[in-house]
Structures are given as structure tokens and as C-alpha cells.
Amino acid sequence: MSSNMNDRAYQLWDERRGKIQSKKGGWIIGKGVFNHGYSMMDDLVGKVSYMQVMVLNATGRLPERAVADWFDAIHICLSWPDPRIWCNQIGALGGTARTSVVAATSAGVLAADAKAYGIKPLIQGVNFIQTALLDFKRGTSVDEIIRNECAKHRGKPNIMGYARPLAKGDERIIAMWRVQKALGLPIGEHLQLAEQIEQSLLKNFDESMNINGYMTAFLSDLGYTADEVYRIFAVLVTSGVTACYVDTRDKAPDTFLPLRCADIEYTGKLARPVP
Amino acid sequence: MATEKRKVESRNDVFVERTATKIWQEIESPNNPYLADSCLCHGYDLLELTQKRSFVETLYLLFRGELPDADEARLLEHLMIALINPGPRHPATRAAMNAGVGSTDREHILPIALSIYGGSHLGAGEVEPAMDFLRKQRKHDPRQLAHELITNGIPPQEGDWHIAPGFGSRFGGVDTMPAKIAKHLADLPGKHETLLWGCKFAVALNEHSLGWLSPAIAAAVFTDLGFSPRAGAGLFQLLGAPGLLAHGVELSNKPVTAMPFVKDENYVIKYE
């Protein structure tokens, strides 16, 4: 590396100076707007849904309408207007602090770039079910797959996509099964395995699949990678955050969950003089 | 599908009644429990701090719980000056400039720039991994480690190689400014074990066109000052914030033509 670099170490950057080479598309003034080979105004506007274009932009592939409608439905499932949810509460705090709706919504979306909830668990969910299917095909039983995962968590069934936090059971899966059936989208091998994992968890731990487990298995059946899923769902929580913002923005400022001084528990050092 | 198992039941997790903090105490006003009559930072009265201590000392206090000694305060202040501006070519600064020249609401300029400054390439996202790396490796021989990483590492096919978090090439070569900053900081009075180790490690990398990058300098100083790695990313963003903001504000009353717009002939669409 070093010898080549000494000759023209910065050639790569010189080649790109003042130029943009896009693999996605762009606006050619006088000719049109292009997106992954499609003419935006001729091929897409009025002919495909916004969700289809969103997935196209995130993955480079235009999904069929039924799949985009499934994406539409799952977005409804994953963001609702309850300000007790952490990202939504950021939206509500933005409203009570008179932040702009754009800043508050962006802040809430950013907050969902989290491991405990929000978007990052989808990466883990996809990785789990895709690895599990490979193991299953190599002969590992469903019970063994679960045992191996439990071993990573001191025997507890902390498997991404199963055993929902805060509550047991997940009503959203029933709704999405209904949507999937109505759209005529098939059950693939990842989703079949997810169901088998759920059956074993129900039997042994009284735990079931959560929405993450369902959607990551379904998306794996469609061939999406973990990175693609992360990109598609970048603004997953946006509508709920905006709703919570609007709720507090339309009330008197600083009235959302107001705190007295004593409502924060101080556990630090006692008062002392500054040396 | 086990529909009967979809019945949703709360797990009845136990949440605290009040959020706790060791950092800040607000003593309520006798007339209104929502108003603070005085504020204490780790036990020190805020107004007394303003009279007796510097901003840098108070910043250290916030994160460490105690005031720094003179060497620690000097080291942190010199680092803050050294990293006050990522420079007008850093992607985060350019984001601030784009926001400024586009007449984005001015209160958004800094959050926009800081979001980009959170990246894992020359940004805050590289600081915590660099702190973890330094804490783990500083007991090993830096030359030997550099040799092992060079021998076993695989450079990327294109672009800069970060052989370890915060160490690598920039634009294909050794970035000399971070090296000068690191040397300056290491020469200050006080104990800088991590910083000195980093200097030796960087020197061992130099012959391979690799060396210090600014996130690792911050990481080394934060480690020597005893800051938690969890604070590393945010502190790095805090240190670079003045420069990011200044560049964004500078362009915020200018027309959009005050920054280049790539000409059509230089905009190439090439689908794979």
C-alpha cells in the first residue's frame, strides 16, 4: 500500500474533485428527473406508490405494488401516537418547548436509531432468522437453535424478534397476517421457521413472536438484507413522533409532564464550598 | 399462527418513580416548587463556580464529579482549542455550510452539523471505539502491535485505511496536523500515558502512510483524564461544535450562489 501511495497517494480524491458520479439518478435540467433508470415523471408519478419509490431509493429495486402495500401497513403498525414511547416523547417535548415540527420529528426519528427499540433491532432480527435458517438447513433443530440463543443470555429466551418487551403477545402480527393474506403474499421458508421457533418458545417459555420476528422473517423471504431493512425503515417512527409533537404544540408551553424540582431525585454529593 | 397467544398482557415492569441524577441538584424556591432558587453541580453552587472556576474546569466537573488539577485542566483546554474546528472541508462543516447558505432556520445549523459529525469516519462515532482500543492495547508494545495489525490487516480496495479506530491514513497519507497536536499535548506537564502510547503507536504506523487521526487524539486525552468511553462521542462533538457553527453562520446570510453547484457536465449518472 505504502509504495503505491507515495506515487499518487491522493489520485482517488483528485479523480472525484468537482464531480459527482451517481448510481441513483438525478435532475438533468431540460431533460428530466431520473431515478434508477426510471424517468420520474413518465414512469413513476401516478403509476407507482410513494412506498414503492421509497423502497426503490433505499435498495435500488422497485418492489411490486403488493409488497409496497405491505410496507405501508407495517409502517402503520410500528409508529403510534403514544408519548410514553421514548422517541415519541422527544416529539412531545419538542412541542412543549416550541421546537419546529421538523426539528422535533427529526429528533424523534434520530432517537429511534437505538438498540433497545426502534430500528437497530431489525438488523439483529434479520441476522438472527437468516442465520437460523442456514443452521436449520444444515440439520440444527429448532430446539437447538433456541438453546444456542438462550445460552448467550444466561438461559433466558432473549431472542431478537421473540418475547416482546413490556408486554406479552403482539396484536400487530394478527393484523399483518391479515394484510399479507389479503395481498396474496406467500409464506416463505424464513417465516415458516419463525413460526416453528414460536411454537417451541410457547411450549417451553410461554413466549411468542413479536412484530420484529414476523417482519424480519417476511422480509428475509423477499431477499432483503439486514442493511437494506435498516435503510428502508430509516424514518420508521416519524408519524407517531409528529402526532405527539402536535399534541403538545397545541397546548401551553412547558406543560407536558411538568417536573417540580423535587421530581428529580438527587443522589450526588452534598453541598460543599468551591475550593 | 397461534392467535390465542396474541392476547396482549403487560409484563408489569417496575419503573422508577423519579429520574435520579448525581450531577445536578436544583433547590426549589420557597414560593414555587417548579422554580429553582439555586443549582449545584456535584455539590458546588453554580454561581460560586462562575466566580472561582473556568468553563473548562466546570466541564470536567460535570463529567468526572470532581474538579481537575491544574495539569488536567490545561490538557483539556489545549485539546478543546486544538479540536475547536474540524475545518471547512470536513463533511460536518460542509453540512453546516449547506444549511447556512440554504437559509435553513439558524437553530438547526448546529444539530445538522453535529449529526454528520457523529459519523464513524473522522467523527464522533470513532471516539468510543478508539477509547476502547486504547484502554485495551496500551499495555502492549506499540511497535509490535502496529506490526501485527499491518501484517494481518487488509486495506480497503478504495479509500483510506483505518487500521485501528482513530488511526489510519487521510487522503492516502499521514495527516500531519493531528500528529503535531498529539505531540504538543503529550509535551504538556502531567501524566499522559495513553497519549504517549498513542504517539509511539502512530510513529510505528507512519512508514505505512498511517498515523494519528483526530478522533484518537480526543480518545487518548479523554482516557487519560478518566472520562467514560460512553461520553467520548458527545464530548468530541462538543469540542468541534464552535467551528461547525461558525462556518454555518458565516454563510447564513449569503445567497445560494455563494457555494459551488456542480455543473451538469460534471454530474454523471452511471447505473450499475
Side-chain angles (χ1 to χ4, degrees):
Chain A
M1 178 185 178
S2 55
S3 59
N4 290 337
M5 280 200 146
N6 288 336
D7 299 336
R8 279 298 303 279
Y10 46 84
Q11 183 181 345
L12 170 72
W13 291 274
D14 265 355
E15 287 168 359
R16 286 158 173 73
R17 243 178 106 224
K19 299 172 194 151
I20 296 174
Q21 185 169 307
S22 171
K23 293 189 291 187
K24 311 300 282 182
W27 174 34
I28 302 174
I29 298 175
K31 288 189 180 174
V33 189
F34 301 93
N35 187 335
H36 294 90
Y38 297 102
S39 164
M40 291 279 279
M41 302 309 132
D42 299 325
D43 303 329
L44 300 179
V45 175
K47 294 178 179 170
V48 302
S49 68
Y50 176 75
M51 195 60 72
Q52 281 177 284
V53 176
M54 208 169 97
V55 176
L56 170 69
N57 281 330
T59 65
R61 304 190 301 278
L62 186 72
E64 60 182 270
R65 181 61 180 256
V67 171
D69 288 349
W70 181 94
F71 275 114
D72 191 285
I74 197 82
H75 271 84
I76 297 172
C77 288
L78 294 171
S79 181
W80 60 81
D82 184 332
R84 293 173 301 172
I85 305 297
W86 303 271
C87 53
N88 290 349
Q89 188 154 132
I90 289 167
L93 291 166
T96 209
R98 296 301 188 258
T99 310
S100 82
V101 63
V102 180
T105 304
S106 303
V109 167
L110 195 55
D113 199 10
K115 294 187 187 76
Y117 76 107
I119 308 164
K120 291 247 166 76
L122 295 176
I123 299 173
Q124 288 174 265
V126 172
N127 287 335
F128 165 71
I129 197 65
Q130 293 188 359
T131 305
L133 184 63
L134 289 175
D135 290 343
F136 186 66
K137 285 181 172 178
R138 286 191 204 108
T140 310
S141 71
V142 168
D143 286 346
E144 280 177 300
I145 289 170
I146 292 171
R147 264 200 304 277
N148 293 340
E149 284 300 306
C150 289
K152 299 174 189 171
H153 305 286
R154 297 175 189 170
K156 293 183 179 174
N158 293 344
I159 304 173
M160 188 52 71
Y162 305 83
R164 184 186 190 184
L166 299 184
K168 276 191 172 188
D170 200 324
E171 66 276 41
R172 297 168 294 184
I173 296 179
I174 299 170
M176 285 309 300
W177 275 118
R178 192 177 65 233
V179 168
Q180 184 180 341
K181 191 176 175 189
L183 292 168
L185 297 168
I187 298 172
E189 53 186 356
H190 291 93
L191 202 44
Q192 286 173 23
L193 176 61
E195 285 197 280
Q196 290 181 55
I197 290 169
E198 177 178 55
Q199 290 308 318
S200 177
L201 284 171
L202 282 169
K203 186 177 68 187
N204 298 311
F205 295 97
D206 190 29
E207 293 288 0
S208 57
M209 193 191 309
N210 63 37
I211 194 70
N212 178 313
Y214 164 77
M215 65 188 283
T216 55
F218 176 80
L219 291 168
S220 295
D221 284 333
L222 293 180
Y224 290 106
T225 66
D227 275 348
E228 286 175 336
V229 169
Y230 186 44
R231 292 169 182 180
I232 292 167
F233 289 100
V235 294
L236 174 71
V237 300
T238 184
S239 70
V241 176
T242 302
C244 293
Y245 167 87
V246 170
D247 198 25
T248 56
R249 179 61 184 81
D250 292 344
K251 293 171 183 157
D254 223 355
T255 56
F256 173 72
L257 276 182
L259 295 172
R260 289 183 171 196
C261 293
D263 289 335
I264 297 291
E265 184 184 8
Y266 179 67
T267 57
K269 295 196 168 61
L270 297 175
R272 49 185 173 163
V274 178
Chain B
M1 182 186 61
T3 306
E4 71 281 4
K5 286 294 176 183
R6 304 290 174 209
K7 188 183 171 197
V8 181
E9 297 168 356
S10 172
R11 291 187 192 274
N12 293 316
D13 293 298
V14 178
F15 290 86
V16 295
E17 289 294 320
R18 296 186 297 163
T19 303
T21 177
K22 291 178 182 172
I23 298 171
W24 203 261
Q25 185 179 21
E26 293 182 331
I27 310 295
E28 70 184 32
S29 160
N31 301 320
N32 187 333
Y34 287 91
L35 296 175
D37 204 41
S38 62
C39 299
L40 293 92
C41 179
H42 289 289
Y44 295 127
D45 182 80
L46 182 64
L47 294 179
E48 200 181 346
L49 282 168
T50 65
Q51 291 161 17
K52 296 181 177 174
R53 293 292 178 165
S54 68
F55 175 81
V56 170
E57 289 171 308
T58 309
L59 177 67
Y60 180 99
L61 170 69
L62 261 174
F63 287 88
R64 296 282 287 121
E66 295 296 343
L67 287 160
D69 64 25
D71 289 344
E72 290 166 333
R74 187 185 303 108
L75 178 62
L76 181 55
E77 182 163 13
H78 282 236
L79 177 74
M80 289 182 73
I81 296 171
L83 299 187
I84 198 166
N85 189 2
R89 295 178 299 124
H90 192 288
T93 317
R94 289 161 60 186
M97 292 168 153
N98 269 286
V101 85
S103 301
T104 297
D105 286 352
R106 289 193 240 287
E107 64 269 26
H108 301 334
I109 292 175
L110 187 56
I112 288 166
L114 288 177
S115 292
I116 304 304
Y117 206 38
S120 60
H121 181 84
L122 303 174
E126 204 167 4
V127 177
E128 185 172 342
M131 291 178 80
D132 291 339
F133 169 78
L134 289 163
R135 282 154 60 112
K136 186 178 174 189
Q137 301 296 347
R138 64 185 168 180
K139 53 184 173 289
H140 297 126
D141 178 51
R143 288 196 65 82
Q144 178 64 28
L145 179 66
H147 175 73
E148 286 171 13
L149 291 173
I150 293 285
T151 305
N152 300 323
I154 302 170
Q157 289 188 327
E158 189 175 82
D160 282 319
W161 185 19
H162 289 199
I163 193 164
F167 294 90
S169 62
R170 188 164 187 208
F171 298 119
V174 175
D175 195 354
T176 52
M177 268 307 291
K180 289 177 188 174
I181 292 168
K183 183 178 183 318
H184 167 74
L185 297 173
D187 287 344
L188 290 172
K191 282 180 68 180
H192 318 309
E193 287 175 15
T194 313
L195 199 51
L196 289 168
W197 185 92
C199 287
K200 291 176 189 163
F201 181 63
V203 166
L205 295 172
N206 282 168
E207 62 183 286
H208 303 280
S209 298
L210 307 166
W212 277 110
L213 299 168
S214 58
I217 296 175
V221 173
F222 294 158
T223 303
D224 282 333
L225 291 175
F227 290 120
S228 160
R230 287 181 291 119
L235 283 169
F236 186 76
Q237 287 171 307
L238 185 72
L239 267 53
L244 296 172
L245 179 61
H247 282 292
V249 170
E250 185 183 32
L251 282 156
S252 67
N253 63 346
K254 304 264 194 317
V256 289
T257 50
M259 284 182 74
F261 189 86
V262 174
K263 292 185 173 72
D264 282 356
E265 58 264 37
N266 288 328
Y267 190 89
V268 180
I269 301 171
K270 195 174 177 183
Y271 302 117
E272 284 183 336

